[in-house]
Amino acid sequence: MSDISFVRREMLPPKDPPASEVGVVGWIRANLFSGWLNSVLTIASLYFIIRVLMGLLGWAVVPTWSATSLTECRSIFEELGRHGHNAGACWGVISERWNQLLFGFYPRELQWRPVLDFLLLGVALAPVLFSDKVPAKLIYFTAIYPFVMPWLLWGGTIWTPVAVALGFVIAYAIFKMLAEKTSELIAMIASVVVALVWWLFLASLFSSALAAVIPLALEPVESRQFGGFMLSITIGVVAIGLSLPIGIVLALGRQSDLLIVKTLCVGFIEFIRGVPLITLLFVASTLLNIFMPPGTNFDIIMRVFIMVTLFASAYMAEVIRGGLAALPKGQYEGADSLGLNYWQAQRLIIMPQALKISIPGIVSTFIGVFKDTTLVSVIGLFDPLNLTNAIRADADWNGLVWELYGFIALLFFVFCFGMSRYSMYLERKLQTGHR
Amino acid sequence: MSILTDPPKESFRPSMLIYDTRYRSMTIQVIALIGFLILVGWLISNTAQNLAELGKEPSFGFLSEPAGYDINQRLLDYDNQNSHFRAALIGLLNTLLVAFLGCITATILGVIIGVLRLSSNWLIARLMTIYVEMFRNVPVLLWIVFIMAILIESLPAPRDFRGDTPEATMNVFDSVAVTNRGVYVPEPLFHNSLGNIHLFGDAAVRFDISLDLVAFLIVLGGSLFASTKIRIWADKTQEATGLRPTTWHMRSAVVILPSLLLLVLLGFHLGYPALKGFNFQGGIHMRNSLIALWLALSLYTAAFIAEIVRAGILAISKGQTEAASALGLRPKRIMNLVVLPQALRVIIPPLISNYLNLTKNSSLAIAVGYMDLTGTLMGITMNQTGRELETVMLGMLVYLTISLVISGFMNWYNNRVKLVER
């Protein structure tokens, strides 16, 4: 009577899941055909993708790279047996004019200068972007770069940027000297006044005198020869580079307890954010010369720089204000309890954290400004979009649309997508586990 | 026993303006104010001097002069003998029109795309990601001219609709004609029309109101009010008895029947566009410039709205849904009572700021020749009268007003739904 029932003593090994639930089949069932609605959607979108891809590839994959005019493209299509208005892409226009799309009317033999400039921009940004991989000394080059960049782009004597830089050195020296003897407030006011006097009255004398003695100059290039992606990138870089410090000041002003300062900052920010960029560009093209003393006539690119910078700094101020507001109150109180004064607290405690939080916003502002540089075509600057009109004005390429727009869209996409991916990487890298 | 006394009150010395933090803030503010006033004064004096040299005294008199140019897409009556002010008004209405249309379609598209991006269907989610990245990373101006080019290049010309075997045919039961000169849609017409009221006589802001539309809106409003009353009655009954009476058939009847009756009484019918001569006649003509701008702004903004919607949905933690279903709520009520109110708090503020961006971006209309405020006031009017200062300032002021109204609404909403914290 001992063994009336069978009791299993050892575990059975788990069975493999059914073949339809694992591997490729399982994945497809789970992700593409998990219900009738999903199946319909999948099939519809597959059909859509195939239609678009076939149309696009059929249009784009054509041997027209070396064609020199639209008529030549058309004859190539005739040989291929294709007819109609949009028989295929005429890539000849890109191969012939890509240089113009990138540099505008910048003299061909001087184009090494903008290229070098953007390479140097990479070097100057390296200490900021990849601080752990490059020597820290490189930050000095970053400080010099803002003065090297315009000199390389516009040419002219080297002494003008040197004189401008000297203004900063003088202001800093005076601030250091006076700050020890009197209060920081007096020192700051004095240094600002001295710097303004230097830039407005003495700097031009200084640079012309030195240029006469030691003529160190590059061949000058006129602003109206700027164009293409070079122009877009230049406007974008200048606007963001200048708007970051202005934006920090505005954000601090907006957060401060000083009523008048706060009102001024809020008024400026809300005004700029409330009007479209295009109206600001109208101001640049028609009004800015009226606002300046009679006889001043600075060129259109400089005016666009000013307005785009003001535009970007209002947005930057809001991004940084968001970062400041996101910091826990304890950080401010902690800095106060350590006995740090306002600027020390900002520099050592608040700003490093607030700027880190604002990185995604800063990058997306940059992307926005970079995209918005296409608006300068409305006031007649030759950015890539306006260059397409110039190219179409050529009888050889009259009537081309898709190839040019497609090329420009692709370049913009590569730039902007790259930047947004970089900002994600930076966010992950700077993540310290708490927010 | 010691007596606590206040420390002796220091008398005010000028050096305290710099060294005493109580007074230093005053000093800083006064300096900032003086600096600002000097800057403004300098700009104004420069401007006055320059304008005097050019012989252009600032004045807004040009606004009442005849404009002398035509506006082909307009909501109110206008001809080229009307004043510049009237032209600017037409432009402003065009701006508001495209902004309004754009906001609606961008929201619908954005919500659909944002939800689909979270879909469990791998292919759909990837497609939507591609859509979002494609539109977000290419300038909106490029999209506008691109879509304009598509409309002009690939749509049939009106003459293609001619003949016994036309190359192109009209869509939607022969009522909508999509051509490369624009889209023609049927217009509502009334046999027994009540006519129009003409407001403001001959003034520049004059406009007509269709009494048919007014009557329709009054009836619709009344029936919506009645429908709300029925809902309130149903709520009360539910609270009193625990049973909710079925009301959907009553409510839909109350909303639909009176409006239908009114339309029949007024003799409502549609005026179809028809090919006459070289072009279509009749119906409402939406020009390519409007369509291109509308489409481009909607598609572009929809990409941003999709991201906002996605973020809003992801921001609600799964615990909320699980807790709600643990309380015994059904999925639809979970969505309405738990998830949506919280998600909307995250979604609405950036959504409204995107509406604001769309409105501001509509100023790019100038690139495709749509006559909005930028095209009229800051475009042709400025070029004809040479009044740069006045036109640009006026245009900025109008845009600023629109923005401030929208952002004022946003702040009001934000304060209403804000979580109260320490």
Side-chain angles (χ1 to χ4, degrees), chain A residues 27 30-34 37-39 41-43 45-46 48-49 85-86 181-183 185-186 189 257-261 264 270-280 282-283 286-287 289-295 307 311 315 329-330 333 367 370-372 374-375 377-378 385 399 401-402 405-406 408-410 412-414 416-417 420-421 424, chain B residues 17-19 24-33 36 42-44 46-51 53-54 56 116 119-124 127 130 133-142 145-146 149-151 153-154 300 304 356-357 359-361 363-364 366-367 374 378-379 382 388-390 392-393 395-397 399-401 403-404 407 410 422:
Chain A
W27 184 88
N31 289 303
L32 297 180
F33 298 99
S34 60
L37 181 67
N38 263 340
S39 309
L41 283 176
T42 304
I43 290 169
S45 44
L46 266 181
F48 172 77
I49 293 173
H85 193 52
N86 286 321
K181 291 186 182 155
T182 60
S183 85
L185 185 61
I186 292 180
I189 295 168
D257 307 323
L258 311 177
L259 185 68
I260 296 175
V261 175
L264 289 179
E270 291 302 327
F271 173 71
I272 297 280
R273 276 161 43 96
V275 297
L277 175 59
I278 199 161
T279 60
L280 294 177
F282 278 136
V283 170
T286 61
L287 293 186
N289 270 342
I290 297 184
F291 290 154
M292 290 294 128
M307 293 321 282
F311 176 78
Y315 282 84
K329 225 169 160 18
E333 292 163 355
I367 295 176
F370 183 58
K371 284 191 297 177
D372 282 343
T374 48
L375 265 63
S377 62
V378 174
L385 210 53
V401 187
W402 315 114
Y405 286 164
I408 295 169
L410 187 73
F412 267 107
F413 181 84
V414 168
C416 298
F417 189 69
S420 71
R421 291 290 129 161
M424 287 180 185
Chain B
L17 280 178
I18 291 167
Y19 294 107
R24 192 167 57 190
S25 64
M26 296 299 293
T27 322
I28 294 175
Q29 301 205 55
V30 168
I31 290 173
L33 190 64
F36 175 71
W42 183 68
L43 290 178
I44 290 179
N46 284 337
T47 311
Q49 212 173 335
N50 278 317
L51 287 180
E53 265 177 36
L54 292 170
K56 285 198 273 192
L116 284 184
S119 154
S120 58
N121 188 319
W122 184 86
L123 199 60
I124 292 281
L127 262 187
I130 290 174
E133 295 295 350
M134 194 170 87
F135 275 90
R136 283 203 318 169
N137 288 317
V138 173
V140 61
L141 186 59
L142 193 53
V145 292
F146 197 72
I150 291 179
L151 293 182
E153 299 262 323
S154 63
Y300 181 77
F304 289 84
L356 202 58
N357 283 341
T359 313
K360 286 191 286 176
N361 281 338
S363 59
L364 297 178
I366 201 168
T374 323
M378 284 186 274
M382 178 167 91
E388 295 95 359
L389 186 71
E390 294 89 339
V392 172
M393 288 293 151
M396 282 177 132
L397 193 71
Y399 276 113
L400 193 62
T401 314
S403 301
L404 288 183
S407 66
M410 179 167 78
R422 157 170 89 104

Side-chain angles (χ1 to χ4, degrees), chain A residues 248-393:
Chain A
I248 291 177
V249 171
L250 283 173
L252 289 177
R254 192 170 184 171
Q255 292 285 74
S256 85
D257 307 323
L258 311 177
L259 185 68
I260 296 175
V261 175
K262 185 175 175 171
T263 316
L264 289 179
C265 290
V266 171
F268 176 82
I269 293 172
E270 291 302 327
F271 173 71
I272 297 280
R273 276 161 43 96
V275 297
L277 175 59
I278 199 161
T279 60
L280 294 177
L281 290 177
F282 278 136
V283 170
S285 73
T286 61
L287 293 186
L288 217 52
N289 270 342
I290 297 184
F291 290 154
M292 290 294 128
T296 355
N297 189 14
F298 54 130
D299 69 69
I300 180 72
I301 294 212
M302 207 52 93
R303 288 181 267 156
V304 166
F305 279 162
I306 293 176
M307 293 321 282
V308 177
T309 302
L310 291 183
F311 176 78
S313 45
Y315 282 84
M316 198 61 94
E318 285 300 89
V319 166
I320 291 166
R321 184 172 74 110
L324 288 175
L327 274 195
K329 225 169 160 18
Q331 295 292 330
Y332 292 88
E333 292 163 355
D336 283 346
S337 72
L338 283 175
L340 300 177
N341 70 22
Y342 181 77
W343 292 109
Q344 286 171 326
Q346 292 298 341
R347 189 162 52 86
L348 300 171
I349 308 238
I350 307 299
M351 272 302 150
Q353 301 184 70
L355 286 181
K356 192 180 87 180
I357 300 174
S358 337
I359 283 176
I362 293 175
V363 175
S364 76
T365 310
F366 185 86
I367 295 176
V369 170
F370 183 58
K371 284 191 297 177
D372 282 343
T373 55
T374 48
L375 265 63
V376 298
S377 62
V378 174
I379 57 167
L381 291 188
F382 282 100
D383 84 311
L385 210 53
N386 207 5
L387 275 173
T388 62
N389 296 329
I391 291 172
R392 269 199 298 272

Side-chain angles (χ1 to χ4, degrees), chain B residues 30-333:
Chain B
V30 168
I31 290 173
L33 190 64
I34 291 174
F36 175 71
L37 289 180
I38 289 177
L39 183 70
V40 170
W42 183 68
L43 290 178
I44 290 179
S45 83
N46 284 337
T47 311
Q49 212 173 335
N50 278 317
L51 287 180
E53 265 177 36
L54 292 170
K56 285 198 273 192
E57 293 301 315
S59 104
F60 286 92
F62 70 93
L63 282 177
S64 54
E65 288 163 17
Y69 57 92
D70 286 312
I71 299 177
N72 49 29
Q73 179 90 49
R74 55 178 184 257
L75 291 176
L76 303 181
D77 73 289
Y78 169 86
D79 65 55
N80 57 21
Q81 289 309 306
N82 288 148
S83 63
H84 281 295
F85 181 78
R86 180 81 176 166
L89 182 73
I90 303 283
L92 172 63
L93 285 179
N94 276 346
T95 294
L96 294 178
L97 171 73
V98 78
F100 178 72
L101 292 175
C103 286
I104 293 175
T105 36
T107 313
I108 297 172
L109 269 178
V111 169
I112 294 174
I113 292 163
V115 171
L116 284 184
R117 229 193 133 175
L118 292 170
S119 154
S120 58
N121 188 319
W122 184 86
L123 199 60
I124 292 281
R126 286 299 169 286
L127 262 187
M128 293 305 142
T129 311
I130 290 174
Y131 173 90
V132 168
E133 295 295 350
M134 194 170 87
F135 275 90
R136 283 203 318 169
N137 288 317
V138 173
V140 61
L141 186 59
L142 193 53
W143 281 119
I144 292 174
V145 292
F146 197 72
I147 290 179
M148 186 71 178
I150 291 179
L151 293 182
I152 292 177
E153 299 262 323
S154 63
L155 291 180
R159 67 181 140 77
D160 294 339
F161 289 80
R162 193 187 306 281
D164 294 329
T165 51
E167 288 175 45
T169 51
M170 290 164 73
N171 311 76
V172 197
F173 307 115
D174 268 0
S175 64
V176 178
V178 182
T179 75
N180 65 358
R181 292 193 192 168
V183 176
Y184 297 81
V185 295
E187 58 183 336
L189 293 174
F190 299 94
H191 285 306
N192 324 318
S193 176
L194 298 173
N196 297 330
I197 339 176
H198 188 73
L199 289 178
F200 298 114
D202 267 344
V205 290
R206 68 183 180 276
F207 61 95
D208 290 348
I209 295 180
S210 155
L211 277 177
D212 307 308
L213 182 68
V214 172
F216 183 74
L217 286 181
I218 289 175
V219 170
L220 193 68
S223 33
L224 283 179
F225 179 73
S227 161
T228 322
K229 279 280 174 216
I230 295 179
R231 185 176 60 82
I232 292 171
W233 166 75
D235 284 350
K236 277 206 177 126
T237 319
Q238 185 181 20
E239 273 167 28
T241 64
L243 290 174
R244 192 177 180 86
T246 324
T247 56
W248 65 266
H249 49 269
M250 280 204 287
R251 289 180 69 182
S252 45
V254 159
V255 172
I256 294 169
L257 285 182
S259 314
L260 268 184
L261 193 66
L262 180 76
L263 288 181
V264 171
L265 280 179
L266 289 175
F268 175 79
H269 65 281
L270 288 173
Y272 293 108
L275 191 60
K276 279 181 192 146
F278 292 106
N279 218 333
F280 278 90
Q281 302 288 331
I284 298 171
H285 181 194
M286 296 201 282
R287 283 178 185 269
N288 267 337
S289 49
L290 170 64
I291 305 268
L293 189 67
W294 175 21
L295 266 181
L297 288 178
S298 318
L299 293 174
Y300 181 77
T301 314
F304 289 84
I305 292 181
E307 286 297 89
I308 293 167
V309 170
R310 189 173 75 108
I313 295 174
L314 287 178
I316 307 306
S317 71
K318 217 169 153 55
Q320 297 281 336
T321 326
E322 289 167 356
S325 65
L327 285 174
L329 292 178
R330 276 171 289 132
K332 198 183 154 202
R333 309 217 91 194

